[in-house]
């Protein structure tokens, strides 16, 4: 273990190894995405009504999905008649969600969180932490970020995306 840390911290290839290791989670995500089920919307668009109903039943674990199915079919019909989609985006009714998306991305870049997370090891070394402490601090920060991300995912899933979105927009 000490030899690996020495290679990572004291040689020029250390950053390449750390950056190369990011391939592992990306491969896992890519491979797992191949096994994800589809969504009901394309099934409705292609006329597979029974398959759509079966998918809705399996997703929700209930048999009474008629209202949701009707809503999805109606939304599909509405989406087929929408013309000039890009010209509709600046309209008044879409301004709040559009501004919210733009501001989230703006503040993410303004705060520099991406740069901070990427150069965290260098940042900790700059404030004169030792090599071991810098590496450990970077790992701890990454783990805290991972845990908080999963907590927020579970919270959003429990409260519902629609509820949280409507609360912000309203």
């Amino acid at each position: 273990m000490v030899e690996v840390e020495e290679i990572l911290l004291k040689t020029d290839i250390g950053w390449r190894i750390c950056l190369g290791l990011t391939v592992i989670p990306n491969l896992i995500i890519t491979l797992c995405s191949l096994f994800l089920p589809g969504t009901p919307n394309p099934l409705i668009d292609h006329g597979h009504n029974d398959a759509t109903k079966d998918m809705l039943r399996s997703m929700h674990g209930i048999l009474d999905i008629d209202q949701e199915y009707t809503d999805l079919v109606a939304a599909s019909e509405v989406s087929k008649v929408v013309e000039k989609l890009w010209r509709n985006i600046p309209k008044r009714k879409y301004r709040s969600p559009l501004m919210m998306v733009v501001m989230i991305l703006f503040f993410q870049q303004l705060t520099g969180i991406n740069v901070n997370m990427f150069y965290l090891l260098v940042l900790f070394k700059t404030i004169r932490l030792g090599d071991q402490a810098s590496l450990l601090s970077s790992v701890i920060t990454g783990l805290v970020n991972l845990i908080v991300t999963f907590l927020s995912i579970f919270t959003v899933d429990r409260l519902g995306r629609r509820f949280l979105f409507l609360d912000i927009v309203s």
Side-chain angles (χ1 to χ4, degrees), residues 3 9 12 16 24-26 31 66 76 83 94 104-105 119 125 138 141 145 151-152 155 158:
E3 293 175 11
L9 294 173
D12 289 339
R16 291 180 182 97
I24 296 169
N26 291 328
L31 291 174
D66 293 332
S76 177
E83 295 179 9
Y94 299 118
I104 287 171
L105 295 173
Y119 291 107
K125 283 185 180 182
S138 296
T141 304
N145 190 16
L151 284 175
S152 64
T155 302
R158 185 176 318 137

Side-chain angles (χ1 to χ4, degrees), residues 95-154:
R95 282 190 194 142
S96 292
L98 180 64
M99 286 306 298
M100 189 169 61
V101 167
V102 169
M103 296 309 288
I104 287 171
L105 295 173
F106 173 77
F107 284 115
Q108 182 179 8
Q109 294 302 316
L110 182 70
T111 60
I113 191 65
N114 297 341
V115 174
N116 287 339
M117 292 303 290
F118 190 74
Y119 291 107
L120 208 52
L121 187 61
V122 176
L123 181 68
F124 284 131
K125 283 185 180 182
T126 304
I127 61 171
R128 299 184 189 254
L129 286 180
D131 290 343
Q132 298 271 352
S134 295
L135 188 58
L136 184 62
S137 298
S138 296
V139 169
I140 290 172
T141 304
L143 287 174
V144 168
N145 190 16
L146 181 72
I147 292 167
V148 170
T149 300
F150 278 115
L151 284 175
S152 64
I153 289 170
F154 291 130

Side-chain angles (χ1 to χ4, degrees), residues 17-65:
I17 293 172
C18 289
L19 194 58
L21 289 175
T22 62
V23 169
I24 296 169
N26 291 328
L27 282 176
I28 292 171
I29 291 170
T30 301
L31 291 174
C32 290
S33 70
L34 297 175
F35 300 103
L36 288 173
T39 61
N41 295 334
L43 292 174
I44 290 172
D45 290 342
H46 290 43
H48 302 294
N49 298 335
D50 293 334
T52 303
K53 290 179 181 181
D54 290 340
M55 181 179 282
L56 288 172
R57 285 187 194 103
S58 69
M59 283 172 45
H60 298 300
I62 57 174
L63 297 177
D64 185 23
I65 47 88

Side-chain angles (χ1 to χ4, degrees), residues 67-84:
Q67 180 62 41
E68 184 173 0
Y69 176 75
T70 306
D71 292 344
L72 286 172
V73 170
S76 177
E77 295 301 321
V78 168
S79 71
K80 288 178 184 175
V81 296
V82 173
E83 295 179 9
K84 301 175 184 172

